[in-house]
Amino acid sequence: MANRLAAVIALIPVFWTLTQGADVTESEVSSLAGVSVKLTCAIGQGCPDVHSMRWYKNEERVFVLSPRANISRAENSLVSRAVLDFKKGASDAYLVIDKVELRDEGLYKCDITYIAITDRCNAVNYINFTTLVKPENITVYDGDVIIPEGKYDRVFTEDDDVTLTCIGGRGKPVPSVQWWKDGVLYNANTAIEERDESGVGTGTNRLKFQVTRADLNVKYECRVYHPALDNYISSSTQLEVNVRPNRLVLSGVEHHVVQGTTVLLKCEVFGARPPANVKWFNATMLLAPEQNSTRLNELPERRPLTKLIDNQTTFASYSNEGDGTY
C-alpha cells in the first residue's frame, strides 16, 4: 500500500509561482486607440519550462496559457481581440491586442508559473498601459469669430481689450494648450480642461490683454502639445493695430523773422499708424492746401509711419497776424 501511494505521489507534478524573492519587472506602454499593441512579459534566459502564464487587466483575467494542456485563450474584455506570442525557451512572451479600445487601459499583470523552482527568472511583470487619442486640429477665436491662420482682418486700436481663445482638438489625455508671443511662452493666460468619462477631452487656453504699441508686428501663436504628436501643432496670427502719434517736432524758425519774407515751417509727426492727419492753422484759421506739401517717409510694412508737412508762408500775406501761432 505504501509503495502504491508513493507511486501516485511521484506522478503529481509540482509547479511554482514565485512572487516572494523572484524578480518583478515594471514598464510603461502607451498606444493610440484603433491600432495593435504588443505588451511584453519578460521571462529571462535559461529558465525552466513555463507551466502556465496568466494575464490580468486590473483584477480581470484576460488571457491564459498552458502549453502542456494546449491552452492559449483570450478571455473577458479581450475575447477575439488578443493572441499570445509565446515560444518555448524564449526570453520574452508578448500579449498582442488588436484594435485597441479606450477601455483597454489599465494595469496589466503577467503571472508566470514554472515547472521547477527558480529564483533566476521573472515571475511577475507589471505593465501600465495607457490608451491615447491624438488631437487632430486647433481653433483660435476672437470672441465668437474664428481667426484664420496668418493675418487677421480685424483692425484693433491702441487700448482695445482683446480676448483670444485657443481650443485644442479632442484628445486623450487632454492636450496641453499654450500661448506664445514672438517665440516666448506667455504666462498671463487661463487654461481649462474638459473631459468625458473615457478621459477624452479638449484643452482651452484664453488670453486676455489690452492692445498697445508693443503689439505691432507681434506674432501670437497657440501651440498644442500631446504625447501622441511627434511635434506640437500650432496656429499663429498678427494683429492689425492702429496707434496714436507719440512725438511731434516743430522746426523752421529759431529766431525772429522779418515781415514780408518767406519762411519754411516743418511739422514732423512720429509713431502713428495709419499716418497722422496734420493740418496747419494760423491762430484759428486753417491755411490753404496749396500752402502745404506732404511727404510720408517709407518704413517697413505695418510699422508706425511719420507724416511730414512743410509749410511755406509769406508773412506779408498776413500782415496783421504775422506773429500768430501755427
Side-chain angles (χ1 to χ4, degrees):
M1 178 68 178
N3 291 336
R4 291 177 59 190
L5 180 60
V8 172
I9 294 175
L11 292 175
I12 300 176
V14 179
F15 307 112
W16 299 88
T17 300
L18 299 181
T19 56
Q20 299 294 330
D23 288 335
V24 176
T25 65
E26 299 179 359
S27 59
E28 300 275 345
V29 177
S30 60
S31 170
L32 287 170
V35 301
S36 296
V37 69
K38 182 184 291 187
L39 305 182
T40 302
C41 182
I43 300 171
Q45 297 285 348
C47 296
D49 288 346
V50 171
H51 169 261
S52 63
M53 181 181 295
R54 295 167 300 280
W55 283 83
Y56 299 87
K57 185 192 76 173
N58 301 325
E59 300 300 323
E60 174 190 59
R61 194 170 78 173
V62 292
F63 206 97
V64 60
L65 169 75
S66 178
R68 290 194 171 190
N70 198 27
I71 296 174
S72 182
R73 180 178 66 236
E75 298 179 337
N76 296 310
S77 61
L78 292 187
V79 167
S80 76
R81 290 196 301 120
V83 296
L84 188 65
D85 182 1
F86 170 80
K87 295 180 176 60
K88 183 178 179 179
S91 58
D92 295 312
Y94 306 96
L95 180 67
V96 182
I97 304 174
D98 188 32
K99 296 180 181 178
V100 168
E101 300 175 1
L102 295 180
R103 63 184 179 131
D104 293 332
E105 180 173 289
L107 180 63
Y108 284 74
K109 175 185 175 183
C110 173
D111 195 354
I112 308 170
T113 301
Y114 297 97
I115 63 172
I117 299 175
T118 179
D119 58 1
R120 297 180 294 105
C121 301
N122 293 325
V124 179
N125 287 250
Y126 289 102
I127 304 102
N128 188 23
F129 178 52
T130 304
T131 55
L132 304 176
V133 175
K134 181 168 63 176
E136 299 291 347
N137 54 60
I138 179 173
T139 309
V140 178
Y141 292 87
D142 169 24
D144 296 328
V145 179
I146 295 178
I147 300 178
E149 172 75 18
K151 189 176 180 180
Y152 186 32
D153 291 336
R154 177 184 171 186
V155 178
F156 296 87
T157 302
E158 198 171 0
D159 297 333
D160 279 352
D161 291 322
V162 180
T163 300
L164 300 180
T165 302
C166 181
I167 302 177
R170 286 174 56 81
K172 181 178 180 295
V174 174
S176 172
V177 182
Q178 299 176 351
W179 276 105
W180 292 67
K181 182 178 179 180
D182 270 352
V184 178
L185 181 61
Y186 201 104
N187 291 316
N189 47 46
T190 303
I192 303 171
E193 293 185 355
E194 296 180 351
R195 57 172 62 82
D196 58 24
E197 294 180 355
S198 67
V200 180
T202 58
T204 301
N205 200 313
R206 188 168 290 113
L207 179 62
K208 294 183 178 181
F209 61 97
Q210 190 174 63
V211 174
T212 68
R213 181 178 300 274
D215 290 306
L216 285 163
N217 270 9
V218 168
K219 182 175 77 171
Y220 285 94
E221 179 185 22
C222 178
R223 297 181 182 180
V224 173
Y225 294 86
H226 193 270
L229 296 171
D230 294 332
N231 200 355
Y232 62 83
I233 57 177
S234 68
S235 178
S236 61
T237 189
Q238 285 183 315
L239 306 184
E240 289 288 334
V241 180
N242 288 343
V243 294
R244 297 181 289 270
N246 60 1
R247 188 161 62 99
L248 183 148
V249 176
L250 186 63
S251 61
V253 177
E254 296 182 2
H255 306 290
H256 67 276
V257 295
V258 178
Q259 183 175 351
T261 61
T262 299
V263 296
L264 177 66
L265 301 179
K266 182 166 67 173
C267 178
E268 298 178 272
V269 181
F270 298 88
R273 184 178 187 277
N277 184 17
V278 181
K279 296 180 180 180
W280 281 95
F281 289 81
N282 181 358
T284 59
M285 184 173 62
L286 179 66
L287 298 186
E290 59 269 16
Q291 293 178 289
N292 300 283
S293 63
T294 302
R295 183 176 77 254
L296 298 180
N297 66 335
E298 296 182 0
L299 291 176
E301 183 184 3
R302 305 185 78 249
R303 289 291 185 185
L305 298 176
T306 300
K307 186 168 186 177
L308 305 180
I309 293 187
D310 297 334
N311 177 260
Q312 291 186 351
T313 300
T314 303
F315 283 110
S317 302
Y318 305 96
S319 57
N320 295 328
E321 304 178 27
D323 57 352
T325 301
Y326 292 82

